Amino acid sequence: MNIDRQQDLGEYNGDLWLVDAMREASSNLQLVVEVIVAVGALVGLNALAYYVFRQSAVNWLNADRFILAIAWIGFELATISALFLYFKKQSDVVRAERSRYLAIASEFLAQWTRFEVLGQGKLESLSLGVDPWSVREIIRKLVSANAMGADDMAMVEEALRTRNALVYVRAQVDSAHLTRLTDRLRELDARLDAEAVKPPAPLMPVH
């Protein structure tokens, strides 16, 4: 059976949207917290400097006060600029990491969707009825029909738990774990697909 890539995209696009929203919300929250910490530290430093200046017993001339104010403004501008560049760099790093994670999650969900479609197709080719909404029934019947082994079943059960944690629980799934399951699912999908497209046996000539 040849599963078109666009069909795969249509199947798991909703799941991928949830993963993207989850990662973006987490990244935005982290950046907001970092900005609040930086602004709080800057405000506290300003207040402390002003307090020390007010408590100083030195008789400052107006020119000295003006020079000191200019120096402090320069320091403030430099600090704000440094913070801006830091947060921009952090934002770029987070964006790149999120894109990489989404690519890994996208491939995992694609292979999972492909497994469901190929599994249903395999069972239909064997004239075995199956509820398309019950993944566990698809797994059980594939094992019963010897289309999957015990190791495959354990892997698919793990992939199902991971998929549910990723999409419904919105858990942060390790990228290496997703990659390992994606590779195993790809191997299983290739076997199911190859079995589904086996040509029929040639007819014996009639004499």
Side-chain angles (χ1 to χ4, degrees), residues 128-148:
L128 296 175
V130 62
D131 180 4
W133 298 102
S134 177
V135 178
R136 296 191 183 279
E137 182 180 354
I138 295 174
I139 297 172
R140 180 178 58 81
K141 288 194 174 183
L142 284 173
V143 174
S144 299
N146 294 321
M148 287 189 349

Side-chain angles (χ1 to χ4, degrees), residues 2-189:
N2 182 23
I3 306 299
D4 187 78
R5 184 67 175 174
Q6 292 300 321
Q7 180 179 347
D8 287 342
L9 288 171
E11 291 288 338
Y12 73 81
N13 185 62
D15 294 345
L16 188 59
W17 182 87
L18 288 176
V19 175
D20 188 15
M22 174 190 65
R23 297 284 295 188
E24 184 175 7
S26 177
S27 301
N28 290 340
L29 177 61
Q30 179 181 347
L31 287 176
V32 167
V33 171
E34 290 178 353
V35 169
I36 292 175
V37 170
V39 171
L42 192 60
V43 170
L45 182 61
N46 280 320
L48 179 61
Y50 183 70
Y51 174 79
V52 172
F53 179 76
R54 289 290 303 272
Q55 297 298 320
S56 175
V58 178
N59 293 322
W60 298 93
L61 300 176
N62 289 336
D64 294 332
R65 293 175 183 271
F66 178 76
I67 293 173
L68 185 61
I70 294 298
W72 186 254
I73 291 174
F75 173 77
E76 290 284 308
L77 291 175
T79 302
I80 293 173
S81 299
L83 288 174
F84 172 78
L85 292 176
Y86 169 78
F87 287 122
K88 184 179 184 303
K89 182 178 180 181
Q90 286 295 100
S91 178
D92 292 341
V93 170
V94 169
R95 191 179 299 110
E97 174 62 23
R98 186 162 65 94
S99 297
R100 188 183 72 86
Y101 183 85
L102 284 176
I104 294 173
S106 171
E107 187 59 25
F108 169 75
L109 292 174
Q111 293 302 325
W112 175 258
T113 300
R114 187 173 173 82
F115 164 74
E116 290 190 52
V117 175
L118 288 170
Q120 293 177 34
K122 176 65 176 178
L123 294 174
E124 290 173 0
S125 68
L126 297 174
S127 300
L128 296 175
V130 62
D131 180 4
W133 298 102
S134 177
V135 178
R136 296 191 183 279
E137 182 180 354
I138 295 174
I139 297 172
R140 180 178 58 81
K141 288 194 174 183
L142 284 173
V143 174
S144 299
N146 294 321
M148 287 189 349
D151 291 342
D152 293 327
M153 180 178 180
M155 181 275 295
V156 172
E157 289 281 357
E158 183 182 3
L160 176 60
R161 290 192 297 270
T162 301
R163 187 261 183 188
N164 290 342
L166 185 69
V167 175
Y168 299 122
V169 183
R170 299 190 177 185
Q172 298 289 322
V173 181
D174 182 65
S175 298
H177 180 68
L178 287 176
T179 300
R180 180 179 64 83
L181 288 177
T182 299
D183 293 340
R184 294 287 305 278
L185 281 171
R186 187 182 293 108
E187 294 174 2
L188 177 59
D189 291 346

